[in-house]
Amino acid sequence: MSKNNLNYSWANQIVSVLIKIGIDDFCICPGARNTPLVYEIVAQKKLKAISVHDERNAGYFALGIAKFSNKPVSVVTTSGTAVANLLPAVIESYYSMTPLILLTADRPSELIGTGSNQTINQDGIFSSFLRYETNLGTPSTNNIKKIIKSIQAGILNATYPIPGPVHFNIPLLEPKGYNQSSYIKINYQIEPIKYDAIEYNGTLKIGERPIIVVGPLKQTNLQKHIIKLANATGALVFADPLSNITAQPKDKHIISSYEYLISYIDISPSCIIRFGTKPISKTLNNWLDKNLELVYSINSHDRFNDDVKNIIVCDPISFCDKVSSIYNTSDKPWSSSIPKLQSCLNKKLYTHDKSSMHQFVLSTIDSLESNGMLFLGNSTIVRDFARMGSCKIHNYNVIGNRGASGVDGILSTALGAASKNKGNNVLIIGDMSFLYDLNALQVTKECNINLVVVVMNNFGGQIFERLDISEIDSTVFNRFWKTEHQQEFKDIAKFHNVGYCSLNDFSRYKEKLSHSMQSGGIHIMEIKMDMNKIDSHTKKIEKEIDKLF
């Protein structure tokens, strides 16, 4: 067999193993050295392959697919700095525990350090942020067993026990002509990957005043079992905006305004049961720290990036069902006063005012149906939803990039997630975060995606206004921290041939959001924020809340 056909045969075996394991989503970045891999992927008509020319965008786009589907997704690059551009998405994948498969073409090892074009040391480039990494070696006719073993080990580590990114570095010979007739066909069987759930057999005493805190949590069946646990035990549920907890209109267990409540009243729980990662709310995290002896994190894996003192390692659904079975289902929370306060807070918070950030948050939450997806950007966006939000009443998927909480890659990740959902999809994003990731919109030429991108335009990094540094000379602050701008988002929409509308306040937001969702495709909705009016209204609301306590 010629060296070149060995190249393609080698790539064919790698792709075949991935297919047999169940990997079917591939985000492909163009290049020369990865040609054999790309050819073998696109030749498989049953695979879902998408072309994303910017590797940084591709990494986040693949991450979005994985976050929405809860399945590993592959991203394929050529060699050199193309590989390095995946690092931001790899970090988010690692800390958000999202499975991501990196297939990076490389030069043969003998070329590294020789000055050969587009050749760097790619082995270990992501080492600090991986669950598994291996070099599959240069193409060979007799290493199929090694490929099977390495890829199986990688996919297992990408999905269990702590999901995350894995890296297959693949040295390939220089691609030339192609002749499939000389492939070596190897028959082999792959044993299915098995995951062993740990049943809960403990005896945790939760007492008479339990509280359940649900942080960011992927949408699965677990949420239903958490509600079942709350109903059985009478527990109050503090639900993070990324918890994917869905509340029925008459459900009094769900407390969404926990930031206000724990700031004003003394809640003395007998036990705090925590699901998901750490909550977004700084106020809630401080409260958890004050009660650290009472907090039990229920996880299917050992400690990861979390300083909680008590961890119970078991299948969370098993935990919910076992504890629920001990109690008689009552449907009544242990406290009647806290749900009443929540009801009073709702009346104060959600007033119809064109400058009401609270009403904007509620309108967003209420506008999506059960087959929808809401993606919350970082910085002030997700914090506002944590403080001002109500629990969703429809079972749509809420996603965010809260692994490393960067403002980069948000648009790409949301587009990836939306590409897998035919329902209504909404992204709430800040103006600076949107501008970081404009290249992501190039993917609109590649596939049909329904996504309303709500850009909260406050003409710079508004979150820095909340810091003490904002008190320095305004010219210096606006230039180096707030980074003020006068970008025309209408021109951006026109350049990318996507829909656009603009609002100066929230008075018609719900109406415009509904219209944009019904129109399909990608729409940019720019809301030009008058922060003086919004902050003034927020302060007025919070003065009214003071009177409740």
Side-chain angles (χ1 to χ4, degrees):
M1 181 188 295
S2 70
K3 287 185 177 180
N4 189 58
N5 284 334
L6 181 59
N7 234 6
Y8 283 90
S9 179
W10 189 242
N12 176 268
Q13 301 300 343
I14 292 169
V15 173
S16 295
V17 173
L18 288 167
I19 292 171
K20 287 195 175 186
I21 289 175
I23 308 303
D24 58 7
D25 274 301
F26 292 82
C27 292
I28 297 172
C29 304
R33 189 61 56 158
N34 61 342
T35 293
L37 287 168
V38 175
Y39 185 92
E40 296 302 332
I41 291 167
V42 299
Q44 301 286 340
K45 302 302 181 185
K46 62 183 178 181
L47 297 181
K48 291 161 275 209
I50 185 169
S51 175
V52 185
H53 75 266
D54 184 314
E55 288 83 8
R56 187 173 179 228
N57 295 138
Y60 278 115
F61 192 92
L63 187 70
I65 295 174
K67 287 195 174 200
F68 184 83
S69 65
N70 291 328
K71 291 172 54 182
V73 177
S74 292
V75 57
V76 184
T77 75
T78 191
S79 63
T81 56
V83 179
N85 276 285
L86 296 176
L87 181 59
V90 171
I91 292 172
E92 175 61 28
S93 165
Y94 179 76
Y95 284 111
S96 66
M97 295 176 279
T98 306
L100 194 64
I101 303 167
L102 316 173
L103 303 176
T104 61
D106 198 359
R107 261 61 171 173
S109 58
E110 61 267 21
L111 295 182
I112 296 174
T114 68
S116 181
N117 184 52
Q118 208 169 312
T119 305
I120 66 173
N121 184 4
Q122 295 176 193
D123 288 331
I125 192 170
F126 308 120
S127 287
S128 297
F129 308 104
L130 293 175
R131 303 284 183 246
Y132 178 89
E133 61 182 325
T134 189
N135 186 313
L136 292 180
T138 50
S140 167
T141 59
N142 58 6
N143 272 355
I144 186 63
K145 288 184 179 179
K146 176 187 175 182
I147 291 180
I148 294 172
K149 184 177 180 180
S150 295
I151 294 179
Q152 273 197 306
I155 304 305
L156 176 62
N157 281 277
T159 52
Y160 180 86
I162 306 176
V166 298
H167 181 201
F168 298 109
N169 197 40
I170 308 168
L172 293 167
L173 307 172
E174 185 176 0
K176 294 181 180 177
Y178 171 74
N179 182 5
Q180 188 178 23
S181 63
S182 59
Y183 273 12
I184 293 177
K185 300 296 182 181
I186 302 174
N187 294 319
Y188 54 87
Q189 297 294 323
I190 293 181
E191 293 293 325
I193 296 174
K194 296 180 181 179
Y195 307 101
D196 297 322
I198 303 172
E199 292 295 313
Y200 175 68
N201 292 310
T203 56
L204 177 65
K205 296 179 180 179
I206 66 172
E208 296 181 351
R209 299 165 63 90
I211 287 179
I212 297 172
V213 174
V214 191
L217 191 63
K218 295 170 185 175
Q219 187 183 45
T220 64
N221 286 328
L222 175 56
Q223 281 81 2
K224 293 180 182 178
H225 291 264
I226 291 172
I227 296 299
K228 176 184 173 183
L229 175 64
N231 287 334
T233 61
L236 297 173
V237 180
F238 293 177
D240 187 274
L242 296 177
S243 67
N244 278 295
I245 290 291
T246 303
Q248 299 303 315
K250 295 182 179 180
D251 195 337
K252 296 182 179 179
H253 293 270
I254 313 298
I255 305 298
S256 56
S257 300
Y258 44 81
E259 271 207 17
Y260 291 107
L261 290 167
I262 60 180
S263 298
Y264 282 101
I265 63 175
D266 180 25
I267 301 175
S268 301
S270 55
C271 179
I272 302 171
I273 303 169
R274 218 195 79 194
F275 296 93
T277 55
K278 294 184 78 168
I280 292 162
S281 167
K282 185 176 180 179
T283 301
L284 180 55
N285 279 313
N286 288 338
W287 182 78
L288 290 171
D289 288 342
K290 290 178 183 178
N291 293 280
L292 81 166
E293 298 289 344
L294 300 175
V295 181
Y296 291 83
S297 176
I298 314 302
N299 267 312
S300 59
H301 53 77
D302 290 328
R303 181 187 304 274
F304 175 71
N305 196 38
D306 201 324
D307 59 357
V308 66
K309 184 174 182 179
N310 306 307
I311 294 181
I312 297 176
V313 179
C314 67
D315 173 25
I317 290 179
S318 169
F319 174 88
C320 291
D321 292 349
K322 178 70 180 292
V323 176
S324 296
S325 67
I326 300 171
Y327 293 83
N328 294 319
T329 301
S330 65
D331 287 334
K332 292 183 179 180
W334 58 262
S335 169
S336 59
S337 60
I338 293 175
K340 287 178 181 177
L341 282 171
Q342 176 66 72
S343 179
C344 292
L345 279 168
N346 288 345
K347 293 175 183 177
K348 296 288 185 183
L349 292 172
Y350 305 121
T351 56
H352 289 279
D353 187 285
K354 64 182 181 180
S355 298
S356 172
M357 193 67 194
H358 295 82
Q359 187 62 41
F360 163 80
V361 170
L362 182 63
S363 294
T364 304
I365 292 169
D366 287 350
S367 292
L368 282 149
E369 300 294 336
S370 292
N371 63 344
M373 185 271 292
L374 173 63
F375 199 107
L376 296 179
N378 284 327
S379 196
T380 55
I381 302 294
V382 76
R383 289 177 173 87
D384 285 342
F385 273 75
R387 182 165 179 80
M388 304 176 183
S390 175
C391 197
K392 61 177 183 173
I393 58 174
H394 300 294
N395 192 31
Y396 54 84
N397 200 345
V398 188
I399 306 174
N401 277 356
R402 294 305 294 177
S405 303
V407 297
D408 54 336
I410 299 294
L411 179 56
S412 293
T413 313
L415 284 164
S419 74
K420 288 298 173 184
N421 187 41
K422 299 304 180 184
N424 292 324
N425 304 299
V426 176
L427 163 65
I428 312 295
I429 189 171
D431 52 330
M432 297 307 296
S433 185
F434 178 76
L435 291 171
Y436 262 123
D437 206 21
L438 282 184
N439 230 18
L441 290 171
Q442 292 291 332
V443 79
T444 58
K445 300 174 182 178
E446 175 70 14
C447 60
N448 295 321
I449 297 175
N450 295 324
L451 180 66
V452 181
V453 182
V454 181
V455 182
M456 312 294 282
N457 185 10
N458 45 40
F459 307 96
Q462 188 67 32
I463 192 170
F464 296 109
E465 295 276 9
R466 303 181 183 186
L467 305 180
D468 293 340
I469 195 68
S470 63
E471 298 175 6
I472 68 168
D473 176 75
S474 60
T475 302
V476 174
F477 173 75
N478 289 339
R479 182 182 176 192
F480 292 102
W481 276 270
K482 189 176 179 182
T483 55
E484 286 186 324
H485 68 84
Q486 296 297 325
Q487 293 287 341
E488 292 290 340
F489 290 89
K490 183 177 182 179
D491 293 341
I492 293 170
K494 184 178 180 181
F495 177 81
H496 289 284
N497 196 29
V498 299
Y500 173 83
C501 69
S502 175
L503 296 172
N504 293 316
D505 55 44
F506 302 131
S507 57
R508 299 184 64 197
Y509 167 66
K510 195 170 184 179
E511 170 196 341
K512 288 287 188 179
L513 179 61
S514 176
H515 180 265
S516 295
M517 288 191 295
Q518 290 172 10
S519 299
I522 294 178
H523 287 257
I524 296 172
M525 179 188 295
E526 178 188 4
I527 302 180
K528 297 176 181 179
M529 310 278 281
D530 186 331
M531 293 312 300
N532 289 328
K533 290 183 179 179
I534 291 171
D535 289 344
S536 175
H537 180 79
T538 300
K539 289 176 183 177
K540 176 183 175 183
I541 291 293
E542 299 202 341
K543 284 182 180 178
E544 290 294 315
I545 290 171
D546 283 339
K547 297 175 183 178
L548 289 177
F549 301 93

